[in-house]
Each structure stands twice: as structure tokens, then as C-alpha cells.
Amino acid sequence: MKKILFVCLGNICRSPMAEGVMLRLIQEAGLEKEIKVDSAGTAAYHEGELPDSRMRSHASRRGYQLTHRSRPVTTDDFYDFDLIIGMDDQNINNLYKYAPSVETSQKIHRMTDYCVNMSTDHVPDPYYGGSSGFEYVIDLLEDACAGLLDSLRKE
């Protein structure tokens, strides 16, 4: 079984949305027994909370139900997951700081490296923006998660 952890800052917008998108793709492909996903944040600002209400609203319009409860990244995550995928440079840098070893740091990847149709170097945090920011993030994550699933199928 391949285990993937999506990571953003507070685990209330980008990473739970990536988890939601990936869960749908996994279900549609019938790969629930082969791939497990979760999400976490590099900060515990919102620990135990549902994703941001705006993100849940935008997600719902596209048929995603985000029910994940925010949690911080732990040292165990570096041993439990095969891929740890950050949304932006700050997330990636923090993940490298948290990695308990060089071997575990090799599990860290950038979400946008899996994009197929969109070209950008990070998934922007929509928290302080408007509606279009949330929609753009979902577009990016749908593209990147599809690319991620394709890369996993090729392995």
C-alpha cells in the first residue's frame, strides 16, 4: 500500500482539499486498497477543526465533501508515509526541518511537480483571498492529483 500525506500551513484549505481530490480519484480508479491519503499542517493553529468553511463551500459545489480534522505533522508521519507532499516553499522548508533523517527527507515532494496541464511552482494559500483564489486552488489540485495518480500507476 502506498501512503501519501498532503501538507500545507494550517491544514484547513489546501492540504485537506488535496486529500479530498485524491480520495475521489482513488475511489473512481478502484484503488482504495492500494493507496491511502491523509493531510496535515506544519502549524497547529487549527488543530481539531474542520477545513475552512469557504474551502468546504467551494469543494461542495464540485462534489467534494471535506470532513478531515486539522492536525499537525508529526515525526511519525515521516516513517508512516511514503510520500509527503508540500504545497509551497514554506511548507517544503519546514518539512525538511522536521524530517528526522536524510532518508525520510527524501519522501518530501512539491505538489505542483505533479501538474500536467497547469504551470506554477506552488499552490497559493487562498485563506486571505477571495472566491477566485479557492477556485484556482481546486483547479490546481485537481490537475496535480491526476498527475500524481498517473505517476503512481506507472510505478
Side-chain angles (χ1 to χ4, degrees):
M1 172 171 288
K2 189 68 106 172
K3 296 179 182 178
I4 304 165
L5 182 67
F6 297 104
V7 179
C8 67
L9 178 61
N11 191 214
I12 59 166
C13 290
R14 297 170 290 173
S15 57
M17 188 68 233
E19 178 184 356
V21 170
M22 197 66 180
L23 281 171
R24 178 192 281 171
L25 292 174
I26 290 166
Q27 290 168 350
E28 289 173 353
L31 297 172
E32 298 93 338
K33 293 181 180 177
E34 286 85 30
I35 304 170
K36 175 190 170 195
V37 297
D38 194 4
S39 63
T42 58
Y45 302 136
H46 304 281
E47 188 169 0
E49 294 177 19
L50 284 169
D52 182 272
S53 61
R54 297 164 297 168
M55 182 55 85
R56 284 185 286 138
S57 176
H58 286 274
S60 178
R61 285 185 222 138
R62 295 200 196 190
Y64 299 103
Q65 299 304 314
L66 305 183
T67 59
H68 174 84
R69 295 281 178 168
S70 176
R71 72 173 186 85
V73 172
T74 67
T75 300
D76 287 344
D77 289 330
F78 287 90
Y79 298 107
D80 294 342
F81 290 90
D82 301 299
L83 293 171
I84 300 174
I85 302 177
M87 300 294 148
D88 63 28
D89 287 343
Q90 180 184 4
N91 307 146
I92 299 287
N93 291 338
N94 285 333
L95 286 167
Y96 279 117
K97 290 177 191 172
Y98 301 156
S101 68
V102 171
E103 182 180 87
T104 59
S105 73
Q106 294 172 352
K107 298 178 178 187
I108 300 168
H109 299 269
R110 181 179 309 278
M111 184 83 249
T112 53
D113 287 348
Y114 297 98
C115 284
V116 176
N117 299 308
M118 299 178 79
S119 181
T120 185
D121 64 350
H122 71 287
V123 179
D125 191 344
Y127 189 80
Y128 294 104
S131 224
S132 62
F134 286 92
E135 289 296 320
Y136 177 68
V137 164
I138 297 172
D139 290 341
L140 266 177
L141 293 174
E142 287 177 335
D143 184 37
C145 286
L148 172 58
L149 185 60
D150 284 344
S151 75
L152 293 173
R153 285 179 161 164
K154 291 175 184 172
E155 286 183 7

